[in-house]
Amino acid sequence: MSRKYVMEFERPLIELEEQLVALRRIDLSDNPDLMIEVSALASEIDRLRIETYGHLTPWERVQVARHPDRPKVQDYLAAIFSDVIELHGDRLYGDDAAIVAALATLDGRRMVVLGHRKGSNTKENIKRNFGSPHPEGFRKAMRAMRLADKFGLPIVSFMDTKGAHPGIDAEERGQAWAIAESLALLSELHVPIVTVGIGEGGSGGALAIGMGDRLIMLENSYYSVISPEACASILYKDSARAADVAEPLKMTAGDLLDLGVSDETIPEPLGGAHQDPEAVFSAVSERISSAVGSLVVIDDDELVERRYKRHRAIGVFEEGA
Amino acid sequence: MPIADWFKARDERRYTSIGGGSAQTDVPEGVWSKCDACKRTIYEGELVAANRVCPHCGHHFPLTAMQRIDLMADEGTFVEFDAGLTSVDPLQFCAVKPYADSLDAAQDKTGLNEAIITGRATIGGHDVVIAAMDFRFIGASMGSAVGEKVTRTLEAARAEKRAAVIVTASGGARMQEGILSLMQMAKTSSAVARLGSAGLPYISVLTDPTMGGVTASFAVLADVVFAEPAARIGFAGPLIIEQTIRQKLPRGFQSAESMLQHGMLDGVVPRDELASRVSLVLDYLALASQSGDAS
Ligand SMILES: [Zn+2]
């Protein structure tokens, strides 16, 4: 029996579910008392499921956002896009497998799709560096952005990364430069840019392909200036206290909506997107189409102006004397 | 006291301490410093005369934002703007201690309202907007106020057809402002792009340390990027990198000299040559951008 991935907070529920499955394998036709107990257990499980998943804490949402079975950019590409042609390489150094760039069609509309690409299994995750790009990944994305701009194709970007890769080679090839240049480029593209936060939104590495005209967040995706572990290790000198900073960092989809950083939240099935990917695909597809549709009608200079003002307006401060 | 009055009172109290201008005037007499690099002692007066560069080994001591501006701007030309712009605590962030307390402590310690000073000046006779960051203020991290001041500086350059010169030093984004601080990267980078589209020059000087979200936004987007000797420059901090890759970092990793070698900078410039170097670059770039102007 393959062991399924269990998030810490759902363990009591999963254990009861496993008990129920085991009990149901037994022939209980001549044991009415046990049959009653089984049905009581089933209703207890229903209650516990709602209790467990109904009101997730920010830290629990981070765990859902990182769930290995959570749909990833490649799943969205396969499920809701057609005629996908992947583009490769930054023409400078290499082809970063942690970033996907593709020509793709959604509801008959041709566009450029970008995304952080995590692997679907351990082997693929190693190849794709767990979705953490090197500079060449951002530079590949920039190639695709320029292509989109040149040929008037809207950009849809799927954000799902712990962050830009922290490593010697990444620094030496200009990680900060790649991110900064991507931001400057995105600010001036004359095509609509729609970002969907589908999982993790880790800092500058997320923003580097996530800055645009609309930000749509899945309910359990997060977007943060710093990972809760790194924040906890700075503030508490203990990364294990990540749960304590996930709330104050205001990193959930709901927080982002409240802060005016995101535009909408797509609700997820109880327990997370991995519980019913088909439902999520269909909602995401519909919301992307609607967002792109509302942006393509805007004059392209006006679009750039609005994008400038959108980011210009973010920030809270006090004008003193 | 109403909050506006409180800010006003605090501004008046503070302003005298930073408005005094030149670094030379607030040096206590008869103080000796020890060089972090060569461990030798240096008479404070000697250190000040050398722009806080160790006369023995050339180590560059950190400078305050005001000392930076004094170093770069033509004497007596600097006029600060947005001096009263301050951070608030938008998320009511509290972990270990409230962000509001960190802000108060930083303001008391530095006499500054925020981690950056911005204004107009001339450099070698060129009209510029100039900004300098002050690492003593919560590691000169970029929150909403720093992002806003940088953006206004770049927008002022565009509106007034001035060059922009920014001297950076920062630990990165100000995590106590959460996603709002991350978004300052988008905001400031957009402002740099706009300035560039207007054909106006922007020169940055990266000083020790310039890391994280400041490096990965306005700091490295300049037309010409200089750094001070031995300044640490990068995106990820060395500790995070060591933890991730589980190996020791090479000597000189993320130093200005190493970043120059990797093609990321236009030059590593000793402190006493910075102003003249920036001025000379402006002779080329500002001239080009102003051709057609009456001036
Ligand atoms: Zn020395």
Side-chain angles (χ1 to χ4, degrees), chain B residues 114-201:
Chain B
E114 246 306 329
I116 191 165
I117 295 179
T118 59
R120 296 178 187 85
T122 65
I123 295 179
H126 295 286
D127 286 332
V128 299
V129 291
I130 183 168
M133 304 180 83
D134 200 309
F135 195 77
R136 299 170 303 158
F137 195 106
I138 318 185
S141 49
M142 175 162 63
S144 300
V146 168
E148 179 70 18
K149 289 183 80 169
V150 168
T151 304
R152 288 189 188 186
T153 301
L154 296 163
E155 287 178 340
R158 184 167 177 261
E160 299 165 19
K161 298 197 176 357
R162 287 165 179 260
V165 175
I166 302 185
V167 185
T168 64
S170 177
R174 190 168 295 169
M175 62 186 173
Q176 296 91 336
E177 292 188 27
I179 194 73
L180 298 177
S181 67
L182 185 72
M183 290 300 151
Q184 303 309 308
M185 293 170 64
K187 176 162 146 180
T188 56
S189 299
S190 301
V192 174
R194 282 214 152 179
L195 183 66
S197 299
L200 291 156

Coordinates of all heavy atoms in Angstrom, one line a residue, chain B residues 114-201:
Chain B
E114 N 13.7 57.8 8.9 CA 13.7 56.5 8.2 C 15.1 56.2 7.8 O 16.0 56.9 8.0 CB 12.8 56.6 7.0 CG 11.6 55.6 7.1 CD 11.9 54.2 7.4 OE1 13.0 53.7 6.9 OE2 11.1 53.5 8.0
A115 N 15.2 55.0 7.1 CA 16.5 54.5 6.8 C 17.1 55.1 5.5 O 18.2 54.6 5.0 CB 16.4 53.0 6.6
I116 N 16.5 56.2 5.0 CA 17.0 56.8 3.8 C 16.8 58.3 3.8 O 15.8 58.7 4.4 CB 16.4 56.1 2.5 CG1 17.1 56.6 1.2 CG2 14.9 56.5 2.5 CD1 16.7 55.7 0.0
I117 N 17.8 59.0 3.3 CA 17.7 60.5 3.2 C 17.7 60.8 1.7 O 18.5 60.3 1.0 CB 18.8 61.2 3.9 CG1 18.8 60.9 5.4 CG2 18.8 62.7 3.6 CD1 19.9 61.6 6.2
T118 N 16.7 61.6 1.3 CA 16.6 62.0 -0.1 C 16.5 63.5 -0.3 O 16.1 64.2 0.6 CB 15.3 61.3 -0.7 OG1 14.2 61.8 0.0 CG2 15.3 59.8 -0.6
G119 N 17.0 63.9 -1.5 CA 16.9 65.4 -1.7 C 17.5 65.8 -3.1 O 17.8 64.9 -3.9
R120 N 17.6 67.1 -3.2 CA 18.2 67.6 -4.4 C 19.6 68.1 -4.1 O 19.8 68.6 -3.0 CB 17.4 68.8 -5.0 CG 16.0 68.4 -5.5 CD 15.2 69.6 -5.9 NE 13.8 69.2 -6.2 CZ 12.9 69.1 -5.3 NH1 13.1 69.4 -4.1 NH2 11.7 68.7 -5.7
A121 N 20.5 68.1 -5.1 CA 21.8 68.6 -4.9 C 22.5 68.8 -6.2 O 21.8 68.5 -7.3 CB 22.7 67.7 -4.0
T122 N 23.7 69.2 -6.2 CA 24.5 69.1 -7.4 C 25.7 68.2 -7.1 O 26.2 68.2 -6.0 CB 25.0 70.5 -8.0 OG1 25.9 71.1 -7.1 CG2 23.8 71.4 -8.3
I123 N 26.2 67.5 -8.2 CA 27.4 66.8 -8.1 C 28.3 67.2 -9.2 O 27.9 67.0 -10.4 CB 27.1 65.2 -8.1 CG1 26.3 64.8 -6.9 CG2 28.5 64.5 -8.2 CD1 26.0 63.3 -6.9
G124 N 29.4 67.8 -8.9 CA 30.3 68.3 -10.0 C 29.5 69.3 -10.9 O 29.7 69.4 -12.1
G125 N 28.6 70.0 -10.3 CA 27.8 71.0 -11.0 C 26.5 70.5 -11.7 O 25.7 71.2 -12.2
H126 N 26.4 69.1 -11.7 CA 25.2 68.5 -12.3 C 24.0 68.5 -11.4 O 24.2 68.1 -10.2 CB 25.5 67.1 -12.8 CG 26.5 67.0 -13.8 ND1 26.3 67.3 -15.1 CD2 27.8 66.6 -13.8 CE1 27.4 67.1 -15.8 NE2 28.3 66.7 -15.0
D127 N 22.9 68.9 -11.9 CA 21.7 68.8 -11.0 C 21.3 67.4 -10.9 O 21.1 66.6 -11.8 CB 20.5 69.6 -11.7 CG 20.7 71.1 -11.6 OD1 21.3 71.5 -10.7 OD2 20.2 71.8 -12.5
V128 N 21.2 67.0 -9.6 CA 20.8 65.6 -9.4 C 19.7 65.5 -8.3 O 19.6 66.5 -7.5 CB 22.0 64.7 -8.9 CG1 23.1 64.7 -10.0 CG2 22.6 65.2 -7.6
V129 N 19.1 64.4 -8.2 CA 18.4 64.0 -7.0 C 19.3 62.9 -6.4 O 20.0 62.2 -7.1 CB 17.0 63.4 -7.2 CG1 16.0 64.4 -7.7 CG2 17.0 62.2 -8.2
I130 N 19.4 62.9 -5.1 CA 20.4 62.0 -4.4 C 19.7 61.4 -3.3 O 18.9 62.0 -2.6 CB 21.7 62.7 -4.0 CG1 22.7 61.7 -3.4 CG2 21.4 63.9 -3.1 CD1 24.1 62.3 -3.3
A131 N 20.0 60.1 -3.1 CA 19.4 59.4 -1.9 C 20.6 58.6 -1.3 O 21.4 58.1 -2.0 CB 18.3 58.5 -2.3
A132 N 20.6 58.5 0.0 CA 21.6 57.6 0.7 C 20.9 56.9 1.8 O 20.1 57.4 2.5 CB 22.7 58.5 1.2
M133 N 21.3 55.6 1.9 CA 20.6 54.8 2.9 C 21.5 54.7 4.2 O 22.7 54.9 4.1 CB 20.4 53.4 2.4 CG 19.5 53.4 1.1 SD 19.2 51.8 0.4 CE 17.8 51.3 1.3
D134 N 20.9 54.4 5.3 CA 21.6 54.4 6.6 C 21.4 53.1 7.3 O 20.3 52.8 7.8 CB 21.1 55.6 7.5 CG 22.1 55.9 8.6 OD1 22.5 55.0 9.3 OD2 22.4 57.1 8.7
F135 N 22.4 52.3 7.3 CA 22.3 50.9 7.7 C 22.0 50.8 9.2 O 21.4 49.8 9.7 CB 23.6 50.1 7.4 CG 23.4 48.6 7.6 CD1 22.8 47.9 6.6 CD2 23.9 48.0 8.7 CE1 22.7 46.5 6.7 CE2 23.7 46.6 8.8 CZ 23.1 45.9 7.8
R136 N 22.2 51.9 10.0 CA 22.0 51.8 11.4 C 20.4 51.7 11.7 O 20.0 51.3 12.7 CB 22.5 53.1 12.1 CG 24.0 53.2 12.0 CD 24.4 54.6 12.5 NE 23.7 55.7 11.8 CZ 23.5 56.9 12.2 NH1 23.9 57.3 13.4 NH2 22.9 57.8 11.4
F137 N 19.7 52.1 10.7 CA 18.2 52.2 10.9 C 17.6 50.8 10.4 O 17.3 50.6 9.3 CB 17.6 53.3 10.1 CG 16.2 53.7 10.5 CD1 16.0 54.9 11.2 CD2 15.1 52.9 10.1 CE1 14.7 55.2 11.6 CE2 13.8 53.3 10.5 CZ 13.6 54.4 11.2
I138 N 17.4 49.9 11.4 CA 16.9 48.6 11.1 C 17.5 48.0 9.8 O 16.9 47.4 8.9 CB 15.3 48.6 11.0 CG1 14.7 49.5 12.0 CG2 14.7 47.1 11.1 CD1 13.1 49.4 12.1
G139 N 18.8 48.1 9.8 CA 19.6 47.5 8.7 C 19.2 48.1 7.4 O 19.4 47.4 6.3
A140 N 18.8 49.3 7.4 CA 18.3 50.0 6.2 C 17.4 49.1 5.3 O 17.5 49.1 4.1 CB 19.5 50.5 5.4
S141 N 16.6 48.4 6.0 CA 15.7 47.5 5.3 C 14.6 48.4 4.6 O 14.3 49.5 5.0 CB 15.1 46.5 6.2 OG 14.5 47.1 7.3
M142 N 14.1 47.8 3.5 CA 13.1 48.6 2.7 C 11.7 48.2 3.0 O 11.2 47.1 2.7 CB 13.4 48.4 1.2 CG 12.3 49.1 0.3 SD 12.7 49.3 -1.4 CE 12.9 47.7 -2.0
G143 N 11.0 49.1 3.7 CA 9.6 49.0 3.9 C 8.9 50.0 3.1 O 9.4 50.5 2.1
S144 N 7.6 50.2 3.4 CA 6.8 51.2 2.6 C 7.5 52.5 2.5 O 7.4 53.2 1.4 CB 5.4 51.3 3.2 OG 4.8 50.1 3.2
A145 N 8.0 53.1 3.6 CA 8.5 54.4 3.6 C 9.8 54.5 2.8 O 9.9 55.5 2.0 CB 8.8 54.9 5.0
V146 N 10.7 53.6 2.9 CA 11.9 53.6 2.1 C 11.5 53.5 0.6 O 12.0 54.2 -0.3 CB 12.9 52.5 2.5 CG1 14.0 52.3 1.5 CG2 13.5 52.8 3.9
G147 N 10.6 52.5 0.3 CA 10.2 52.3 -1.1 C 9.5 53.6 -1.7 O 9.8 54.0 -2.8
E148 N 8.7 54.3 -0.8 CA 8.1 55.5 -1.3 C 9.1 56.6 -1.5 O 9.0 57.3 -2.5 CB 7.0 55.9 -0.2 CG 6.3 57.2 -0.6 CD 5.3 57.1 -1.7 OE1 4.9 55.9 -2.1 OE2 4.9 58.1 -2.3
K149 N 10.1 56.7 -0.6 CA 11.1 57.8 -0.8 C 12.0 57.5 -2.0 O 12.3 58.5 -2.7 CB 11.9 57.9 0.5 CG 11.1 58.5 1.7 CD 11.9 58.7 2.9 CE 12.8 60.0 2.9 NZ 13.4 60.3 4.2
V150 N 12.3 56.3 -2.2 CA 13.1 56.0 -3.4 C 12.3 56.3 -4.7 O 12.8 57.0 -5.6 CB 13.5 54.5 -3.4 CG1 14.1 54.1 -4.8 CG2 14.5 54.2 -2.3
T151 N 11.0 55.9 -4.7 CA 10.2 56.2 -5.8 C 10.0 57.7 -6.1 O 10.1 58.1 -7.2 CB 8.8 55.5 -5.6 OG1 9.0 54.1 -5.4 CG2 7.9 55.6 -6.8
R152 N 9.8 58.4 -5.0 CA 9.6 59.9 -5.2 C 10.9 60.5 -5.7 O 10.9 61.5 -6.5 CB 9.2 60.5 -3.8 CG 7.8 60.2 -3.5 CD 7.4 61.0 -2.3 NE 6.1 60.6 -1.8 CZ 5.5 61.2 -0.8 NH1 6.0 62.3 -0.2 NH2 4.3 60.8 -0.4
T153 N 12.1 60.0 -5.2 CA 13.3 60.5 -5.7 C 13.5 60.3 -7.2 O 13.8 61.2 -7.9 CB 14.5 59.8 -5.0 OG1 14.3 60.0 -3.6 CG2 15.8 60.3 -5.4
L154 N 13.1 59.1 -7.7 CA 13.2 58.8 -9.1 C 12.2 59.6 -9.9 O 12.5 60.0 -11.0 CB 13.1 57.3 -9.3 CG 14.2 56.4 -8.6 CD1 13.8 54.9 -8.5 CD2 15.5 56.5 -9.4
E155 N 11.0 59.7 -9.3 CA 10.0 60.5 -10.0 C 10.4 62.0 -10.1 O 10.1 62.7 -11.1 CB 8.6 60.3 -9.3 CG 8.0 59.0 -9.6 CD 6.7 58.7 -8.9 OE1 6.4 59.4 -7.9 OE2 6.0 57.8 -9.3
A156 N 11.0 62.5 -9.0 CA 11.5 63.9 -9.0 C 12.5 64.1 -10.1 O 12.5 65.1 -10.8 CB 12.0 64.3 -7.7
A157 N 13.4 63.1 -10.3 CA 14.4 63.2 -11.3 C 13.8 63.3 -12.7 O 14.2 64.1 -13.5 CB 15.3 61.9 -11.2
R158 N 12.8 62.5 -12.9 CA 12.1 62.5 -14.2 C 11.3 63.8 -14.4 O 11.5 64.4 -15.5 CB 11.1 61.3 -14.2 CG 10.4 61.1 -15.5 CD 9.7 59.7 -15.5 NE 8.9 59.5 -16.7 CZ 7.6 59.7 -16.8 NH1 6.9 60.1 -15.8 NH2 7.0 59.5 -18.0
A159 N 10.6 64.3 -13.4 CA 9.9 65.5 -13.5 C 10.7 66.7 -13.7 O 10.4 67.6 -14.5 CB 9.0 65.7 -12.3
E160 N 11.9 66.7 -13.1 CA 12.8 67.9 -13.1 C 14.0 67.7 -14.0 O 14.9 68.6 -14.0 CB 13.3 68.2 -11.7 CG 12.1 68.5 -10.7 CD 12.5 68.5 -9.3 OE1 13.7 68.6 -9.0 OE2 11.6 68.3 -8.4
K161 N 14.0 66.6 -14.8 CA 15.0 66.3 -15.7 C 16.4 66.4 -15.0 O 17.4 67.0 -15.5 CB 15.0 67.3 -16.9 CG 13.7 67.1 -17.7 CD 13.9 67.7 -19.1 CE 12.8 67.6 -20.1 NZ 11.6 66.8 -19.6
R162 N 16.5 65.7 -13.9 CA 17.8 65.6 -13.2 C 18.3 64.2 -13.3 O 17.5 63.3 -13.5 CB 17.6 65.9 -11.7 CG 17.3 67.4 -11.4 CD 16.8 67.5 -10.0 NE 16.6 68.9 -9.7 CZ 17.4 69.7 -9.0 NH1 18.5 69.2 -8.5 NH2 17.2 71.0 -8.7
A163 N 19.5 64.0 -13.1 CA 20.1 62.7 -12.9 C 19.8 62.2 -11.5 O 19.5 62.9 -10.6 CB 21.6 62.7 -13.2
A164 N 19.7 60.8 -11.4 CA 19.5 60.3 -10.0 C 20.8 59.6 -9.6 O 21.4 58.9 -10.4 CB 18.4 59.3 -10.1
V165 N 21.2 59.8 -8.3 CA 22.3 59.1 -7.7 C 21.8 58.5 -6.4 O 21.3 59.2 -5.6 CB 23.5 60.1 -7.5 CG1 24.6 59.4 -6.8 CG2 24.0 60.7 -8.8
I166 N 21.9 57.2 -6.3 CA 21.5 56.5 -5.1 C 22.7 55.7 -4.5 O 23.3 54.9 -5.2 CB 20.3 55.7 -5.3 CG1 19.1 56.5 -5.9 CG2 19.8 55.0 -4.0 CD1 17.8 55.7 -6.0
V167 N 22.9 56.0 -3.2 CA 24.0 55.2 -2.5 C 23.2 54.2 -1.6 O 22.5 54.6 -0.7 CB 24.8 56.2 -1.6 CG1 26.0 55.4 -1.0 CG2 25.4 57.3 -2.5
T168 N 23.4 53.0 -1.9 CA 22.7 51.9 -1.1 C 23.5 51.3 0.0 O 24.7 51.3 -0.1 CB 22.2 50.8 -2.1 OG1 23.4 50.1 -2.6 CG2 21.4 51.3 -3.2
A169 N 22.8 50.8 0.9 CA 23.3 49.9 2.0 C 22.0 49.3 2.6 O 21.1 50.1 2.9 CB 24.0 50.6 3.0
S170 N 21.9 48.0 2.6 CA 20.6 47.5 3.1 C 20.7 46.0 3.3 O 21.4 45.3 2.6 CB 19.5 47.7 2.1 OG 18.3 47.1 2.5
G171 N 20.0 45.5 4.4 CA 20.0 44.1 4.6 C 18.9 43.4 3.7 O 18.8 42.2 3.7
G172 N 18.0 44.3 3.1 CA 17.0 43.7 2.2 C 15.6 44.3 2.5 O 15.5 45.4 2.9
A173 N 14.6 43.5 2.3 CA 13.3 43.9 2.6 C 13.0 44.0 4.1 O 13.6 43.3 4.8 CB 12.3 43.0 1.9
R174 N 12.1 44.9 4.5 CA 11.7 45.0 5.9 C 10.6 44.0 6.2 O 9.4 44.3 5.9 CB 11.4 46.4 6.3 CG 11.2 46.6 7.8 CD 11.1 48.0 8.2 NE 12.3 48.7 7.9 CZ 12.4 50.1 8.0 NH1 11.4 50.8 8.3 NH2 13.6 50.7 7.7
M175 N 11.0 42.8 6.7 CA 10.0 41.7 6.9 C 8.8 42.1 7.8 O 7.8 41.5 7.6 CB 10.7 40.5 7.3 CG 11.3 40.6 8.7 SD 12.2 39.0 9.0 CE 13.0 39.5 10.5
Q176 N 9.0 43.1 8.7 CA 7.9 43.5 9.6 C 6.8 44.1 8.8 O 5.7 44.3 9.4 CB 8.5 44.4 10.6 CG 9.5 43.8 11.6 CD 10.9 44.0 11.1 OE1 11.2 44.2 9.9 NE2 11.9 43.9 12.0
E177 N 7.0 44.5 7.5 CA 5.9 45.0 6.8 C 5.4 44.0 5.7 O 4.7 44.3 4.8 CB 6.3 46.3 6.1 CG 6.5 47.4 7.1 CD 6.7 48.8 6.5 OE1 6.2 49.0 5.4 OE2 7.4 49.6 7.1
G178 N 5.8 42.7 5.9 CA 5.3 41.6 5.1 C 5.3 41.9 3.6 O 6.3 42.4 3.0
I179 N 4.2 41.5 3.0 CA 4.1 41.6 1.5 C 4.2 43.1 1.0 O 4.7 43.3 -0.1 CB 2.8 41.0 1.1 CG1 2.8 40.7 -0.4 CG2 1.6 41.8 1.5 CD1 3.6 39.6 -0.9
L180 N 3.9 44.0 1.9 CA 4.0 45.4 1.5 C 5.4 45.8 1.2 O 5.7 46.6 0.3 CB 3.4 46.3 2.5 CG 1.9 46.1 2.8 CD1 1.5 47.1 4.0 CD2 1.0 46.4 1.6
S181 N 6.3 45.2 2.0 CA 7.7 45.5 1.7 C 8.2 44.8 0.4 O 9.0 45.4 -0.3 CB 8.6 45.1 2.9 OG 8.6 43.8 3.1
L182 N 7.7 43.6 0.2 CA 8.1 42.9 -1.1 C 7.7 43.8 -2.3 O 8.4 43.9 -3.3 CB 7.5 41.5 -1.2 CG 7.9 40.7 -2.4 CD1 9.4 40.2 -2.2 CD2 7.0 39.5 -2.6
M183 N 6.5 44.3 -2.2 CA 5.9 45.1 -3.3 C 6.7 46.4 -3.6 O 6.6 47.0 -4.6 CB 4.5 45.4 -3.1 CG 3.6 44.2 -3.1 SD 3.7 43.4 -4.8 CE 3.4 41.8 -4.4
Q184 N 7.5 46.8 -2.6 CA 8.3 48.0 -2.9 C 9.4 47.7 -3.9 O 9.9 48.6 -4.6 CB 9.0 48.5 -1.6 CG 8.0 48.9 -0.5 CD 6.9 49.8 -0.9 OE1 7.1 50.8 -1.5 NE2 5.7 49.3 -0.6
M185 N 9.7 46.5 -4.1 CA 10.7 46.1 -5.2 C 10.0 46.4 -6.5 O 10.7 46.9 -7.4 CB 11.0 44.6 -5.1 CG 11.9 44.2 -3.8 SD 12.0 42.4 -3.6 CE 12.9 42.0 -5.1
A186 N 8.7 46.0 -6.6 CA 8.0 46.2 -7.9 C 7.9 47.7 -8.1 O 8.1 48.2 -9.3 CB 6.6 45.6 -7.8
K187 N 7.6 48.4 -7.1 CA 7.3 49.9 -7.2 C 8.6 50.7 -7.6 O 8.6 51.4 -8.5 CB 6.8 50.3 -5.8 CG 6.6 51.8 -5.6 CD 5.7 51.9 -4.4 CE 5.9 53.2 -3.5 NZ 5.0 53.2 -2.4
T188 N 9.7 50.4 -6.9 CA 10.9 51.1 -7.2 C 11.5 50.7 -8.5 O 12.0 51.6 -9.3 CB 12.0 50.9 -6.1 OG1 12.2 49.5 -5.9 CG2 11.5 51.4 -4.7
S189 N 11.4 49.4 -8.9 CA 11.9 49.0 -10.2 C 11.1 49.7 -11.3 O 11.6 50.0 -12.4 CB 11.8 47.5 -10.3 OG 12.6 46.9 -9.3
S190 N 9.8 49.8 -11.1 CA 8.9 50.5 -12.1 C 9.4 51.9 -12.3 O 9.5 52.4 -13.4 CB 7.5 50.5 -11.7 OG 7.0 49.2 -11.5
A191 N 9.7 52.6 -11.2 CA 10.2 54.0 -11.2 C 11.5 54.1 -11.9 O 11.7 55.1 -12.7 CB 10.2 54.5 -9.8
V192 N 12.4 53.1 -11.7 CA 13.7 53.2 -12.4 C 13.4 53.0 -13.9 O 14.0 53.8 -14.8 CB 14.6 52.1 -12.0 CG1 15.9 52.1 -12.8 CG2 15.0 52.2 -10.5
A193 N 12.6 52.1 -14.3 CA 12.3 51.9 -15.7 C 11.7 53.1 -16.4 O 12.1 53.5 -17.5 CB 11.3 50.7 -15.9
R194 N 10.9 53.8 -15.7 CA 10.3 55.1 -16.2 C 11.4 56.2 -16.4 O 11.3 56.9 -17.4 CB 9.3 55.6 -15.2 CG 8.0 54.9 -15.3 CD 6.8 55.9 -15.0 NE 5.7 55.4 -15.7 CZ 4.5 55.9 -15.7 NH1 4.3 57.0 -15.1 NH2 3.5 55.4 -16.4
L195 N 12.2 56.3 -15.4 CA 13.3 57.2 -15.5 C 14.2 56.9 -16.7 O 14.6 57.8 -17.5 CB 14.2 57.2 -14.2 CG 15.3 58.3 -14.2 CD1 14.7 59.7 -14.1 CD2 16.2 58.0 -13.0
G196 N 14.5 55.6 -16.9 CA 15.3 55.2 -18.1 C 14.6 55.6 -19.4 O 15.2 56.0 -20.3
S197 N 13.3 55.3 -19.5 CA 12.5 55.6 -20.7 C 12.5 57.1 -21.0 O 12.4 57.5 -22.2 CB 11.1 55.2 -20.6 OG 11.0 53.8 -20.4
A198 N 12.7 57.9 -20.0 CA 12.8 59.4 -20.2 C 14.2 59.8 -20.6 O 14.4 61.0 -20.8 CB 12.3 60.1 -18.9
G199 N 15.1 58.9 -20.6 CA 16.4 59.2 -21.1 C 17.3 59.9 -20.1 O 18.3 60.6 -20.4
L200 N 16.9 59.7 -18.8 CA 17.7 60.4 -17.8 C 18.6 59.4 -17.0 O 18.2 58.3 -16.8 CB 16.7 61.0 -16.8 CG 16.0 62.2 -17.4 CD1 14.7 62.5 -16.7 CD2 16.8 63.5 -17.4
P201 N 19.8 59.9 -16.7 CA 20.8 58.9 -16.2 C 20.5 58.6 -14.7 O 20.1 59.5 -13.9 CB 22.1 59.7 -16.3 CG 21.8 61.1 -16.5 CD 20.4 61.2 -17.0

